[in-house]
Amino acid sequence: MLRLSIAPLLFSIASILVAQEPADTNYDETRVPSYKLPDALVDNSGKQVGRDEWSAHRRAEVQTLFEDSVYGKTPDQELTARYEILDNDPEALDGRATRKQIAAFFGDDGYRLDILVYIPNQPRKPVAGFVGLNFDGNHTVHSDPGIIKRRDNKKERGTKASRWQVEMIIGQGYALATVHRDRIDPDNYRNDFTDGIHPLFYREGQERPEPREWGSIGAWAWGLSRILDYFETDPQVDATRIAVMGHSRLGKAALWAGAQDTRFALVISNNSGCGGAALYRRCYGERIHHMIKPVGYWFCTNHHQYRHREHDLPVDQHMLLGLVAPRPLYIASATADRWADPKGEFLAAKYASHVYELFNRSNLSGHDLPMPDQPIHTTVGYHLRTGKHDVTAYDWQQYLKFSDTFLKED
Ligand code: GCU
């Protein structure tokens, strides 16, 4: 009896301890070390590259550097998907949208991902859209009772609706597709890569990824590309005008997906922080050594050697953002989200300008960190929202406005 009653208490103490930021976290701008960023436009042989060489070989080199030292390599093997349409309701959201739910099956054993899709009923032609993963289950994205809820998922319907703003997205003429991240690779510290998609790609006798092979972020990025594959089969959607969007750890995954899969026409990172848009070398807020124990499985194990050695990384995150060029890219931060280093996120976006300049695309090179709630919409968009680590209606208003510029048809 006693054991039962103190269990919730112990649990909440444990969550407080986990949520607390480590004592060595630096939030003092004057203690940010001086740093020299690797140059995206100097190739591995030390040669300065121009636009043709960037496209011919330097871009691939940079991607390989990220595979080797940060996220791990995604297997080249392609798995053909088989789709089963579980639901197709043209009267969803009071008749404003068509809701589809698709089970995508991969591999011989039929590994299954459930994709939730909303498509606006107006305009009646293929629409642009957003692809993103959700944290807690498809049914948390909206309170729509038609969304399939897995019996083993205890989260209430619609609990994360404010992060998705489905009506706003649909109302502005965009489709939305989402998958629960845990269905691709379970996000918990016991992750041993046995119960997500990794085993589908293991070689004979392999039991876990090699030090330079993908972790969870790689797997989630893979999943984002599989949603885009589905969109390519849906005649109501124009798959050449799809934005990939993610928040926090799933923003890290969205960036890595957008870097690897150039079919994504636009890339959005919301408060993605360390291992996402923030520059590692500023050592401000979260750092690599903070992540190893609780969430080291997000990265390849080779990444772990850079704990306390950010300056030795062969890359920094401005180069990841450069891999998105010349496609439009949006980085968003929040004032109270110091752990994610808003200034470091802005600077990475600013220093990605070198690559955008190769393609004569507008960029952040002439800009300083803007005041809160003063968005900058060049081909690289940025805003610093007032408030905490979250996705809000304000964030979506900016993403939709930005997408209207770059994804809407002439
Ligand atoms: C933790 C983690 C961050 C991550 C965030 C999230 O705060 O340290 O790196 O972005 O969780 O995904 O919400």
Side-chain angles (χ1 to χ4, degrees), residues 135 247-250 252 271-272 274 286 291 298 339 389:
F135 277 74
H247 168 60
S248 206
R249 68 197 67 185
L250 301 178
K252 308 181 208 296
N271 307 178
S272 62
C274 188
E286 186 173 32
M291 299 203 271
W298 288 353
W339 181 237
H389 186 72

